[in-house]
Amino acid sequence: YIMKKQSSLLRILLSIILVSQSVLLANERNSTFLETYFILVEKIAPKLVSIDEEFTWNYKVHSKVSTKEITLTDFIPEGMQYVSSSPQAQVLDRQLIWVFSDMQQAQHQSITVTLKAIGEGNLLSCFTAEAIPQACLNTSIGKAEISITKTGTERTLLGSEVNYFITVKNQGTHLAKNVVIEDPVPDGLR
C-alpha cells in the first residue's frame, strides 16, 4: 500500500514537472535583430506554438537617424495564417508590409502581428527592413513691414528750438535690410 501511494505521488510529481516545463516552453520567446547604420529592428516571437493556436510577433523599429521612409516587410511561412496587425499591414500574398514616413532620430514604432498556427514543423520566419535617410534644413521666409511715425511740436515761436522724433518699427516677420530714412528739413527751419 505504501509503495502504491509513493508510486502515485511520484507520478503526480512527474506530471506537475512535465506540465511546468510545457508552460515554461510555451512562454519562452525568440528574438532577432536587424541593424543598419540608419535603423534597428527587433522581432520577438514565441519559441513554441500549438496547432490552431493564435500567437503574436512583436516588432520594435528604431530610427537611428532622421528617415524619410522605413519599410518593414515580413514573410509569412506556410503553416502560419495572418489574423491581424496593429498598425494595419499592407498584405500582399504572404508578405506583410509597413511603411513609416518621416521618422525622426531616436523615434520608434511598435508593431504587433497576430497569427494562427495551421501547420506543423519548424517554420522559419524572416523579415527585411529598408530605410531612406533624410537630411533637412529649415529656411525661414518672411517679409519686412516698416512703419514710420513722426511726432513733435505742431507750433512754436519764431527762433525757438523745434524737437521732433522719428520712430521706425519693423512689424513684419523678417529682418529689414538696407533701410534708409530721409526726412528733409521743412522750409523756414535751419
Side-chain angles (χ1 to χ4, degrees):
Y1 174 76
I2 294 176
M3 290 293 278
K4 273 188 172 181
K5 281 276 196 194
Q6 287 178 343
S7 177
S8 295
L9 184 59
L10 186 59
R11 272 188 256 134
I12 291 171
L13 285 174
L14 284 174
S15 296
I16 291 171
I17 290 170
L18 290 174
V19 168
S20 297
Q21 284 179 334
S22 295
V23 170
L24 288 174
L25 285 173
N27 290 327
E28 285 188 51
R29 309 290 281 172
N30 277 331
S31 68
T32 187
F33 294 89
L34 186 149
E35 184 170 13
T36 70
Y37 182 77
F38 307 118
I39 57 174
L40 169 66
V41 181
E42 178 185 16
K43 179 179 180 179
I44 302 169
K47 282 187 176 184
L48 181 66
V49 178
S50 298
I51 290 284
D52 293 328
E53 180 182 352
E54 287 191 0
F55 61 97
T56 59
W57 288 342
N58 295 293
Y59 304 84
K60 293 178 185 166
V61 180
H62 301 273
S63 185
K64 294 163 63 176
V65 298
S66 178
T67 56
K68 181 65 181 163
E69 185 175 280
I70 295 175
T71 303
L72 178 72
T73 305
D74 206 326
F75 304 89
I76 303 170
E78 294 294 330
M80 292 183 193
Q81 181 180 38
Y82 173 74
V83 176
S84 66
S85 65
S86 178
Q88 183 63 43
Q90 176 187 356
V91 182
L92 192 63
D93 293 323
R94 300 200 62 79
Q95 294 181 23
L96 303 176
I97 303 167
W98 294 269
V99 178
F100 302 106
S101 299
D102 297 316
M103 286 183 69
Q104 300 303 311
Q105 182 176 2
Q107 188 177 356
H108 72 277
Q109 178 71 43
S110 295
I111 303 169
T112 300
V113 179
T114 302
L115 300 135
K116 184 176 183 178
I118 58 172
E120 284 188 73
N122 289 318
L123 307 179
L124 185 62
S125 163
C126 301
F127 70 94
T128 62
E130 300 175 302
I132 300 171
Q134 69 179 354
C136 302
L137 291 174
N138 187 29
T139 300
S140 178
I141 300 174
K143 178 172 107 175
E145 291 183 24
I146 304 295
S147 67
I148 300 173
T149 55
K150 183 175 175 180
T151 57
T153 310
E154 288 187 24
R155 295 178 187 213
T156 187
L157 297 173
L158 189 58
S160 297
E161 194 174 285
V162 175
N163 293 315
Y164 63 96
F165 303 93
I166 298 174
T167 304
V168 179
K169 288 184 183 178
N170 178 5
Q171 297 173 330
T173 58
H174 190 28
L175 179 67
K177 298 178 185 177
N178 303 320
V179 176
V180 176
I181 299 169
E182 293 182 12
D183 188 25
V185 177
D187 291 337
L189 295 177
R190 48 174 164 123

PDB file of all heavy atoms in Angstrom, residues 41-75:
ATOM      1  N   VAL A  41      15.918  47.087 -35.889  1.00  0.00           N
ATOM      2  CA  VAL A  41      14.610  46.437 -35.794  1.00  0.00           C
ATOM      3  C   VAL A  41      14.778  45.173 -34.963  1.00  0.00           C
ATOM      4  O   VAL A  41      15.666  44.372 -35.215  1.00  0.00           O
ATOM      5  CB  VAL A  41      14.050  46.074 -37.196  1.00  0.00           C
ATOM      6  CG1 VAL A  41      12.683  45.424 -37.059  1.00  0.00           C
ATOM      7  CG2 VAL A  41      13.978  47.305 -38.092  1.00  0.00           C
ATOM      8  N   GLU A  42      13.908  45.016 -33.964  1.00  0.00           N
ATOM      9  CA  GLU A  42      13.889  43.809 -33.148  1.00  0.00           C
ATOM     10  C   GLU A  42      12.561  43.107 -33.376  1.00  0.00           C
ATOM     11  O   GLU A  42      11.507  43.733 -33.398  1.00  0.00           O
ATOM     12  CB  GLU A  42      14.027  44.154 -31.665  1.00  0.00           C
ATOM     13  CG  GLU A  42      13.974  42.934 -30.777  1.00  0.00           C
ATOM     14  CD  GLU A  42      13.989  43.267 -29.288  1.00  0.00           C
ATOM     15  OE1 GLU A  42      13.736  44.430 -28.922  1.00  0.00           O
ATOM     16  OE2 GLU A  42      14.245  42.354 -28.506  1.00  0.00           O
ATOM     17  N   LYS A  43      12.637  41.788 -33.573  1.00  0.00           N
ATOM     18  CA  LYS A  43      11.427  40.970 -33.719  1.00  0.00           C
ATOM     19  C   LYS A  43      11.426  39.940 -32.602  1.00  0.00           C
ATOM     20  O   LYS A  43      12.432  39.270 -32.362  1.00  0.00           O
ATOM     21  CB  LYS A  43      11.410  40.264 -35.076  1.00  0.00           C
ATOM     22  CG  LYS A  43      10.193  39.374 -35.277  1.00  0.00           C
ATOM     23  CD  LYS A  43      10.228  38.723 -36.649  1.00  0.00           C
ATOM     24  CE  LYS A  43       9.036  37.828 -36.870  1.00  0.00           C
ATOM     25  NZ  LYS A  43       9.071  37.221 -38.212  1.00  0.00           N
ATOM     26  N   ILE A  44      10.285  39.811 -31.930  1.00  0.00           N
ATOM     27  CA  ILE A  44      10.131  38.859 -30.824  1.00  0.00           C
ATOM     28  C   ILE A  44       8.956  37.947 -31.169  1.00  0.00           C
ATOM     29  O   ILE A  44       7.886  38.425 -31.546  1.00  0.00           O
ATOM     30  CB  ILE A  44       9.882  39.591 -29.493  1.00  0.00           C
ATOM     31  CG1 ILE A  44      11.040  40.548 -29.195  1.00  0.00           C
ATOM     32  CG2 ILE A  44       9.688  38.597 -28.363  1.00  0.00           C
ATOM     33  CD1 ILE A  44      10.775  41.500 -28.059  1.00  0.00           C
ATOM     34  N   ALA A  45       9.172  36.631 -31.041  1.00  0.00           N
ATOM     35  CA  ALA A  45       8.138  35.648 -31.356  1.00  0.00           C
ATOM     36  C   ALA A  45       8.250  34.485 -30.376  1.00  0.00           C
ATOM     37  O   ALA A  45       9.312  34.249 -29.800  1.00  0.00           O
ATOM     38  CB  ALA A  45       8.320  35.149 -32.790  1.00  0.00           C
ATOM     39  N   PRO A  46       7.158  33.736 -30.197  1.00  0.00           N
ATOM     40  CA  PRO A  46       7.231  32.581 -29.295  1.00  0.00           C
ATOM     41  C   PRO A  46       8.093  31.472 -29.896  1.00  0.00           C
ATOM     42  O   PRO A  46       8.190  31.327 -31.106  1.00  0.00           O
ATOM     43  CB  PRO A  46       5.770  32.138 -29.160  1.00  0.00           C
ATOM     44  CG  PRO A  46       5.066  32.702 -30.329  1.00  0.00           C
ATOM     45  CD  PRO A  46       5.817  33.931 -30.741  1.00  0.00           C
ATOM     46  N   LYS A  47       8.715  30.690 -29.012  1.00  0.00           N
ATOM     47  CA  LYS A  47       9.523  29.555 -29.462  1.00  0.00           C
ATOM     48  C   LYS A  47       8.646  28.353 -29.820  1.00  0.00           C
ATOM     49  O   LYS A  47       9.001  27.566 -30.685  1.00  0.00           O
ATOM     50  CB  LYS A  47      10.506  29.128 -28.364  1.00  0.00           C
ATOM     51  CG  LYS A  47      11.706  30.005 -28.246  1.00  0.00           C
ATOM     52  CD  LYS A  47      12.691  29.401 -27.263  1.00  0.00           C
ATOM     53  CE  LYS A  47      13.950  30.238 -27.223  1.00  0.00           C
ATOM     54  NZ  LYS A  47      14.973  29.637 -26.362  1.00  0.00           N
ATOM     55  N   LEU A  48       7.510  28.221 -29.155  1.00  0.00           N
ATOM     56  CA  LEU A  48       6.676  27.034 -29.303  1.00  0.00           C
ATOM     57  C   LEU A  48       5.214  27.454 -29.390  1.00  0.00           C
ATOM     58  O   LEU A  48       4.750  28.250 -28.567  1.00  0.00           O
ATOM     59  CB  LEU A  48       6.883  26.108 -28.089  1.00  0.00           C
ATOM     60  CG  LEU A  48       6.117  24.807 -28.045  1.00  0.00           C
ATOM     61  CD1 LEU A  48       6.570  23.881 -29.168  1.00  0.00           C
ATOM     62  CD2 LEU A  48       6.336  24.122 -26.696  1.00  0.00           C
ATOM     63  N   VAL A  49       4.520  26.911 -30.390  1.00  0.00           N
ATOM     64  CA  VAL A  49       3.098  27.217 -30.570  1.00  0.00           C
ATOM     65  C   VAL A  49       2.391  25.916 -30.929  1.00  0.00           C
ATOM     66  O   VAL A  49       2.945  25.084 -31.657  1.00  0.00           O
ATOM     67  CB  VAL A  49       2.895  28.253 -31.712  1.00  0.00           C
ATOM     68  CG1 VAL A  49       1.430  28.525 -31.940  1.00  0.00           C
ATOM     69  CG2 VAL A  49       3.639  29.537 -31.415  1.00  0.00           C
ATOM     70  N   SER A  50       1.171  25.739 -30.471  1.00  0.00           N
ATOM     71  CA  SER A  50       0.370  24.551 -30.791  1.00  0.00           C
ATOM     72  C   SER A  50      -0.476  24.813 -32.036  1.00  0.00           C
ATOM     73  O   SER A  50      -0.830  25.961 -32.334  1.00  0.00           O
ATOM     74  CB  SER A  50      -0.564  24.208 -29.627  1.00  0.00           C
ATOM     75  OG  SER A  50       0.191  23.903 -28.478  1.00  0.00           O
ATOM     76  N   ILE A  51      -0.822  23.737 -32.733  1.00  0.00           N
ATOM     77  CA  ILE A  51      -1.711  23.829 -33.897  1.00  0.00           C
ATOM     78  C   ILE A  51      -3.013  24.503 -33.473  1.00  0.00           C
ATOM     79  O   ILE A  51      -3.532  24.254 -32.380  1.00  0.00           O
ATOM     80  CB  ILE A  51      -1.995  22.420 -34.474  1.00  0.00           C
ATOM     81  CG1 ILE A  51      -0.743  21.858 -35.125  1.00  0.00           C
ATOM     82  CG2 ILE A  51      -3.148  22.431 -35.471  1.00  0.00           C
ATOM     83  CD1 ILE A  51      -0.412  22.440 -36.466  1.00  0.00           C
ATOM     84  N   ASP A  52      -3.537  25.366 -34.324  1.00  0.00           N
ATOM     85  CA  ASP A  52      -4.791  26.114 -34.122  1.00  0.00           C
ATOM     86  C   ASP A  52      -4.685  27.180 -33.033  1.00  0.00           C
ATOM     87  O   ASP A  52      -5.688  27.779 -32.662  1.00  0.00           O
ATOM     88  CB  ASP A  52      -5.983  25.188 -33.819  1.00  0.00           C
ATOM     89  CG  ASP A  52      -6.355  24.325 -35.006  1.00  0.00           C
ATOM     90  OD1 ASP A  52      -6.188  24.794 -36.156  1.00  0.00           O
ATOM     91  OD2 ASP A  52      -6.793  23.179 -34.800  1.00  0.00           O
ATOM     92  N   GLU A  53      -3.498  27.439 -32.539  1.00  0.00           N
ATOM     93  CA  GLU A  53      -3.298  28.469 -31.509  1.00  0.00           C
ATOM     94  C   GLU A  53      -2.953  29.798 -32.176  1.00  0.00           C
ATOM     95  O   GLU A  53      -2.195  29.849 -33.137  1.00  0.00           O
ATOM     96  CB  GLU A  53      -2.153  28.056 -30.586  1.00  0.00           C
ATOM     97  CG  GLU A  53      -1.856  29.059 -29.468  1.00  0.00           C
ATOM     98  CD  GLU A  53      -0.671  28.635 -28.605  1.00  0.00           C
ATOM     99  OE1 GLU A  53      -0.156  27.514 -28.759  1.00  0.00           O
ATOM    100  OE2 GLU A  53      -0.262  29.457 -27.780  1.00  0.00           O
ATOM    101  N   GLU A  54      -3.542  30.880 -31.664  1.00  0.00           N
ATOM    102  CA  GLU A  54      -3.152  32.220 -32.104  1.00  0.00           C
ATOM    103  C   GLU A  54      -1.967  32.682 -31.266  1.00  0.00           C
ATOM    104  O   GLU A  54      -1.885  32.370 -30.075  1.00  0.00           O
ATOM    105  CB  GLU A  54      -4.315  33.203 -31.982  1.00  0.00           C
ATOM    106  CG  GLU A  54      -5.372  32.984 -33.037  1.00  0.00           C
ATOM    107  CD  GLU A  54      -6.402  34.103 -33.107  1.00  0.00           C
ATOM    108  OE1 GLU A  54      -6.318  35.092 -32.337  1.00  0.00           O
ATOM    109  OE2 GLU A  54      -7.314  33.992 -33.953  1.00  0.00           O
ATOM    110  N   PHE A  55      -1.056  33.416 -31.898  1.00  0.00           N
ATOM    111  CA  PHE A  55       0.141  33.913 -31.218  1.00  0.00           C
ATOM    112  C   PHE A  55       0.537  35.234 -31.853  1.00  0.00           C
ATOM    113  O   PHE A  55      -0.035  35.638 -32.866  1.00  0.00           O
ATOM    114  CB  PHE A  55       1.281  32.878 -31.308  1.00  0.00           C
ATOM    115  CG  PHE A  55       1.707  32.569 -32.711  1.00  0.00           C
ATOM    116  CD1 PHE A  55       2.810  33.199 -33.274  1.00  0.00           C
ATOM    117  CD2 PHE A  55       1.007  31.645 -33.475  1.00  0.00           C
ATOM    118  CE1 PHE A  55       3.195  32.921 -34.564  1.00  0.00           C
ATOM    119  CE2 PHE A  55       1.393  31.348 -34.770  1.00  0.00           C
ATOM    120  CZ  PHE A  55       2.497  31.990 -35.324  1.00  0.00           C
ATOM    121  N   THR A  56       1.508  35.926 -31.244  1.00  0.00           N
ATOM    122  CA  THR A  56       1.898  37.245 -31.751  1.00  0.00           C
ATOM    123  C   THR A  56       3.384  37.312 -32.078  1.00  0.00           C
ATOM    124  O   THR A  56       4.207  36.645 -31.455  1.00  0.00           O
ATOM    125  CB  THR A  56       1.576  38.367 -30.737  1.00  0.00           C
ATOM    126  OG1 THR A  56       2.272  38.114 -29.525  1.00  0.00           O
ATOM    127  CG2 THR A  56       0.093  38.492 -30.484  1.00  0.00           C
ATOM    128  N   TRP A  57       3.662  38.142 -33.065  1.00  0.00           N
ATOM    129  CA  TRP A  57       5.008  38.622 -33.351  1.00  0.00           C
ATOM    130  C   TRP A  57       5.010  40.077 -32.908  1.00  0.00           C
ATOM    131  O   TRP A  57       4.053  40.812 -33.184  1.00  0.00           O
ATOM    132  CB  TRP A  57       5.332  38.582 -34.832  1.00  0.00           C
ATOM    133  CG  TRP A  57       5.546  37.237 -35.444  1.00  0.00           C
ATOM    134  CD1 TRP A  57       5.819  36.070 -34.814  1.00  0.00           C
ATOM    135  CD2 TRP A  57       5.516  36.944 -36.849  1.00  0.00           C
ATOM    136  NE1 TRP A  57       5.972  35.060 -35.732  1.00  0.00           N
ATOM    137  CE2 TRP A  57       5.789  35.566 -36.997  1.00  0.00           C
ATOM    138  CE3 TRP A  57       5.291  37.692 -37.996  1.00  0.00           C
ATOM    139  CZ2 TRP A  57       5.844  34.932 -38.235  1.00  0.00           C
ATOM    140  CZ3 TRP A  57       5.341  37.063 -39.225  1.00  0.00           C
ATOM    141  CH2 TRP A  57       5.620  35.704 -39.334  1.00  0.00           C
ATOM    142  N   ASN A  58       6.054  40.522 -32.253  1.00  0.00           N
ATOM    143  CA  ASN A  58       6.173  41.927 -31.845  1.00  0.00           C
ATOM    144  C   ASN A  58       7.454  42.493 -32.435  1.00  0.00           C
ATOM    145  O   ASN A  58       8.506  41.855 -32.383  1.00  0.00           O
ATOM    146  CB  ASN A  58       6.205  42.058 -30.321  1.00  0.00           C
ATOM    147  CG  ASN A  58       4.900  41.620 -29.708  1.00  0.00           C
ATOM    148  OD1 ASN A  58       3.886  42.257 -29.897  1.00  0.00           O
ATOM    149  ND2 ASN A  58       4.912  40.503 -29.008  1.00  0.00           N
ATOM    150  N   TYR A  59       7.350  43.701 -32.971  1.00  0.00           N
ATOM    151  CA  TYR A  59       8.498  44.380 -33.554  1.00  0.00           C
ATOM    152  C   TYR A  59       8.700  45.717 -32.845  1.00  0.00           C
ATOM    153  O   TYR A  59       7.727  46.357 -32.450  1.00  0.00           O
ATOM    154  CB  TYR A  59       8.269  44.722 -35.031  1.00  0.00           C
ATOM    155  CG  TYR A  59       7.928  43.566 -35.906  1.00  0.00           C
ATOM    156  CD1 TYR A  59       6.616  43.113 -36.005  1.00  0.00           C
ATOM    157  CD2 TYR A  59       8.901  42.928 -36.647  1.00  0.00           C
ATOM    158  CE1 TYR A  59       6.292  42.063 -36.820  1.00  0.00           C
ATOM    159  CE2 TYR A  59       8.580  41.872 -37.471  1.00  0.00           C
ATOM    160  CZ  TYR A  59       7.270  41.441 -37.554  1.00  0.00           C
ATOM    161  OH  TYR A  59       6.954  40.396 -38.366  1.00  0.00           O
ATOM    162  N   LYS A  60       9.951  46.120 -32.763  1.00  0.00           N
ATOM    163  CA  LYS A  60      10.295  47.474 -32.326  1.00  0.00           C
ATOM    164  C   LYS A  60      11.210  48.032 -33.402  1.00  0.00           C
ATOM    165  O   LYS A  60      12.294  47.495 -33.641  1.00  0.00           O
ATOM    166  CB  LYS A  60      10.987  47.452 -30.967  1.00  0.00           C
ATOM    167  CG  LYS A  60      10.074  47.006 -29.849  1.00  0.00           C
ATOM    168  CD  LYS A  60      10.785  46.949 -28.538  1.00  0.00           C
ATOM    169  CE  LYS A  60       9.846  46.369 -27.481  1.00  0.00           C
ATOM    170  NZ  LYS A  60      10.550  45.994 -26.276  1.00  0.00           N
ATOM    171  N   VAL A  61      10.765  49.085 -34.059  1.00  0.00           N
ATOM    172  CA  VAL A  61      11.522  49.725 -35.135  1.00  0.00           C
ATOM    173  C   VAL A  61      12.075  51.035 -34.581  1.00  0.00           C
ATOM    174  O   VAL A  61      11.302  51.908 -34.188  1.00  0.00           O
ATOM    175  CB  VAL A  61      10.615  50.006 -36.365  1.00  0.00           C
ATOM    176  CG1 VAL A  61      11.411  50.663 -37.479  1.00  0.00           C
ATOM    177  CG2 VAL A  61       9.945  48.722 -36.843  1.00  0.00           C
ATOM    178  N   HIS A  62      13.398  51.156 -34.536  1.00  0.00           N
ATOM    179  CA  HIS A  62      14.054  52.348 -34.006  1.00  0.00           C
ATOM    180  C   HIS A  62      14.767  53.066 -35.150  1.00  0.00           C
ATOM    181  O   HIS A  62      15.568  52.457 -35.858  1.00  0.00           O
ATOM    182  CB  HIS A  62      15.097  51.982 -32.938  1.00  0.00           C
ATOM    183  CG  HIS A  62      14.522  51.235 -31.785  1.00  0.00           C
ATOM    184  ND1 HIS A  62      13.979  51.863 -30.699  1.00  0.00           N
ATOM    185  CD2 HIS A  62      14.395  49.909 -31.556  1.00  0.00           C
ATOM    186  CE1 HIS A  62      13.546  50.952 -29.843  1.00  0.00           C
ATOM    187  NE2 HIS A  62      13.784  49.757 -30.341  1.00  0.00           N
ATOM    188  N   SER A  63      14.498  54.342 -35.303  1.00  0.00           N
ATOM    189  CA  SER A  63      15.203  55.143 -36.300  1.00  0.00           C
ATOM    190  C   SER A  63      16.425  55.767 -35.637  1.00  0.00           C
ATOM    191  O   SER A  63      16.302  56.513 -34.675  1.00  0.00           O
ATOM    192  CB  SER A  63      14.271  56.228 -36.854  1.00  0.00           C
ATOM    193  OG  SER A  63      14.899  56.926 -37.895  1.00  0.00           O
ATOM    194  N   LYS A  64      17.612  55.441 -36.154  1.00  0.00           N
ATOM    195  CA  LYS A  64      18.847  55.956 -35.561  1.00  0.00           C
ATOM    196  C   LYS A  64      19.221  57.317 -36.144  1.00  0.00           C
ATOM    197  O   LYS A  64      20.059  58.021 -35.589  1.00  0.00           O
ATOM    198  CB  LYS A  64      19.971  54.950 -35.793  1.00  0.00           C
ATOM    199  CG  LYS A  64      19.727  53.641 -35.031  1.00  0.00           C
ATOM    200  CD  LYS A  64      20.560  52.479 -35.507  1.00  0.00           C
ATOM    201  CE  LYS A  64      22.029  52.648 -35.335  1.00  0.00           C
ATOM    202  NZ  LYS A  64      22.788  51.442 -35.728  1.00  0.00           N
ATOM    203  N   VAL A  65      18.612  57.673 -37.277  1.00  0.00           N
ATOM    204  CA  VAL A  65      18.798  58.969 -37.915  1.00  0.00           C
ATOM    205  C   VAL A  65      17.428  59.434 -38.400  1.00  0.00           C
ATOM    206  O   VAL A  65      16.466  58.683 -38.368  1.00  0.00           O
ATOM    207  CB  VAL A  65      19.781  58.891 -39.129  1.00  0.00           C
ATOM    208  CG1 VAL A  65      21.169  58.454 -38.697  1.00  0.00           C
ATOM    209  CG2 VAL A  65      19.243  57.980 -40.211  1.00  0.00           C
ATOM    210  N   SER A  66      17.349  60.644 -38.877  1.00  0.00           N
ATOM    211  CA  SER A  66      16.104  61.128 -39.466  1.00  0.00           C
ATOM    212  C   SER A  66      15.888  60.384 -40.788  1.00  0.00           C
ATOM    213  O   SER A  66      16.776  60.333 -41.631  1.00  0.00           O
ATOM    214  CB  SER A  66      16.211  62.634 -39.709  1.00  0.00           C
ATOM    215  OG  SER A  66      15.039  63.112 -40.321  1.00  0.00           O
ATOM    216  N   THR A  67      14.709  59.767 -40.938  1.00  0.00           N
ATOM    217  CA  THR A  67      14.432  58.998 -42.145  1.00  0.00           C
ATOM    218  C   THR A  67      13.194  59.517 -42.858  1.00  0.00           C
ATOM    219  O   THR A  67      12.214  59.914 -42.228  1.00  0.00           O
ATOM    220  CB  THR A  67      14.219  57.501 -41.830  1.00  0.00           C
ATOM    221  OG1 THR A  67      13.180  57.386 -40.867  1.00  0.00           O
ATOM    222  CG2 THR A  67      15.489  56.849 -41.325  1.00  0.00           C
ATOM    223  N   LYS A  68      13.255  59.524 -44.173  1.00  0.00           N
ATOM    224  CA  LYS A  68      12.098  59.883 -44.987  1.00  0.00           C
ATOM    225  C   LYS A  68      11.094  58.747 -44.966  1.00  0.00           C
ATOM    226  O   LYS A  68       9.889  58.960 -44.924  1.00  0.00           O
ATOM    227  CB  LYS A  68      12.533  60.194 -46.428  1.00  0.00           C
ATOM    228  CG  LYS A  68      11.415  60.606 -47.336  1.00  0.00           C
ATOM    229  CD  LYS A  68      10.825  61.910 -46.877  1.00  0.00           C
ATOM    230  CE  LYS A  68       9.668  62.356 -47.745  1.00  0.00           C
ATOM    231  NZ  LYS A  68       8.875  63.370 -47.101  1.00  0.00           N
ATOM    232  N   GLU A  69      11.634  57.494 -44.987  1.00  0.00           N
ATOM    233  CA  GLU A  69      10.750  56.341 -45.042  1.00  0.00           C
ATOM    234  C   GLU A  69      11.480  55.100 -44.542  1.00  0.00           C
ATOM    235  O   GLU A  69      12.645  54.891 -44.856  1.00  0.00           O
ATOM    236  CB  GLU A  69      10.297  56.136 -46.492  1.00  0.00           C
ATOM    237  CG  GLU A  69       9.285  55.058 -46.703  1.00  0.00           C
ATOM    238  CD  GLU A  69       8.829  55.020 -48.147  1.00  0.00           C
ATOM    239  OE1 GLU A  69       7.972  55.847 -48.514  1.00  0.00           O
ATOM    240  OE2 GLU A  69       9.362  54.181 -48.901  1.00  0.00           O
ATOM    241  N   ILE A  70      10.775  54.304 -43.752  1.00  0.00           N
ATOM    242  CA  ILE A  70      11.264  52.989 -43.341  1.00  0.00           C
ATOM    243  C   ILE A  70      10.214  51.979 -43.792  1.00  0.00           C
ATOM    244  O   ILE A  70       9.024  52.138 -43.500  1.00  0.00           O
ATOM    245  CB  ILE A  70      11.466  52.894 -41.812  1.00  0.00           C
ATOM    246  CG1 ILE A  70      12.575  53.844 -41.364  1.00  0.00           C
ATOM    247  CG2 ILE A  70      11.778  51.454 -41.399  1.00  0.00           C
ATOM    248  CD1 ILE A  70      12.775  53.911 -39.864  1.00  0.00           C
ATOM    249  N   THR A  71      10.669  50.960 -44.514  1.00  0.00           N
ATOM    250  CA  THR A  71       9.774  49.898 -44.975  1.00  0.00           C
ATOM    251  C   THR A  71      10.189  48.591 -44.317  1.00  0.00           C
ATOM    252  O   THR A  71      11.341  48.182 -44.422  1.00  0.00           O
ATOM    253  CB  THR A  71       9.836  49.750 -46.514  1.00  0.00           C
ATOM    254  OG1 THR A  71       9.510  51.007 -47.118  1.00  0.00           O
ATOM    255  CG2 THR A  71       8.854  48.685 -46.994  1.00  0.00           C
ATOM    256  N   LEU A  72       9.249  47.970 -43.626  1.00  0.00           N
ATOM    257  CA  LEU A  72       9.472  46.674 -42.983  1.00  0.00           C
ATOM    258  C   LEU A  72       8.596  45.664 -43.712  1.00  0.00           C
ATOM    259  O   LEU A  72       7.399  45.889 -43.877  1.00  0.00           O
ATOM    260  CB  LEU A  72       9.104  46.736 -41.503  1.00  0.00           C
ATOM    261  CG  LEU A  72       9.247  45.442 -40.723  1.00  0.00           C
ATOM    262  CD1 LEU A  72      10.720  45.114 -40.515  1.00  0.00           C
ATOM    263  CD2 LEU A  72       8.552  45.532 -39.389  1.00  0.00           C
ATOM    264  N   THR A  73       9.203  44.573 -44.166  1.00  0.00           N
ATOM    265  CA  THR A  73       8.474  43.518 -44.868  1.00  0.00           C
ATOM    266  C   THR A  73       8.743  42.198 -44.168  1.00  0.00           C
ATOM    267  O   THR A  73       9.893  41.832 -43.957  1.00  0.00           O
ATOM    268  CB  THR A  73       8.938  43.413 -46.344  1.00  0.00           C
ATOM    269  OG1 THR A  73       8.797  44.692 -46.970  1.00  0.00           O
ATOM    270  CG2 THR A  73       8.113  42.381 -47.104  1.00  0.00           C
ATOM    271  N   ASP A  74       7.676  41.514 -43.782  1.00  0.00           N
ATOM    272  CA  ASP A  74       7.820  40.190 -43.176  1.00  0.00           C
ATOM    273  C   ASP A  74       7.137  39.178 -44.080  1.00  0.00           C
ATOM    274  O   ASP A  74       6.157  39.493 -44.754  1.00  0.00           O
ATOM    275  CB  ASP A  74       7.224  40.143 -41.771  1.00  0.00           C
ATOM    276  CG  ASP A  74       7.887  39.062 -40.924  1.00  0.00           C
ATOM    277  OD1 ASP A  74       8.270  38.014 -41.480  1.00  0.00           O
ATOM    278  OD2 ASP A  74       8.037  39.269 -39.722  1.00  0.00           O
ATOM    279  N   PHE A  75       7.680  37.980 -44.084  1.00  0.00           N
ATOM    280  CA  PHE A  75       7.196  36.919 -44.950  1.00  0.00           C
ATOM    281  C   PHE A  75       6.575  35.834 -44.079  1.00  0.00           C
ATOM    282  O   PHE A  75       7.244  35.274 -43.210  1.00  0.00           O
ATOM    283  CB  PHE A  75       8.359  36.365 -45.785  1.00  0.00           C
ATOM    284  CG  PHE A  75       9.047  37.440 -46.579  1.00  0.00           C
ATOM    285  CD1 PHE A  75      10.100  38.163 -46.030  1.00  0.00           C
ATOM    286  CD2 PHE A  75       8.612  37.765 -47.852  1.00  0.00           C
ATOM    287  CE1 PHE A  75      10.725  39.174 -46.746  1.00  0.00           C
ATOM    288  CE2 PHE A  75       9.233  38.774 -48.575  1.00  0.00           C
ATOM    289  CZ  PHE A  75      10.286  39.480 -48.028  1.00  0.00           C
TER     290      PHE A  75
END
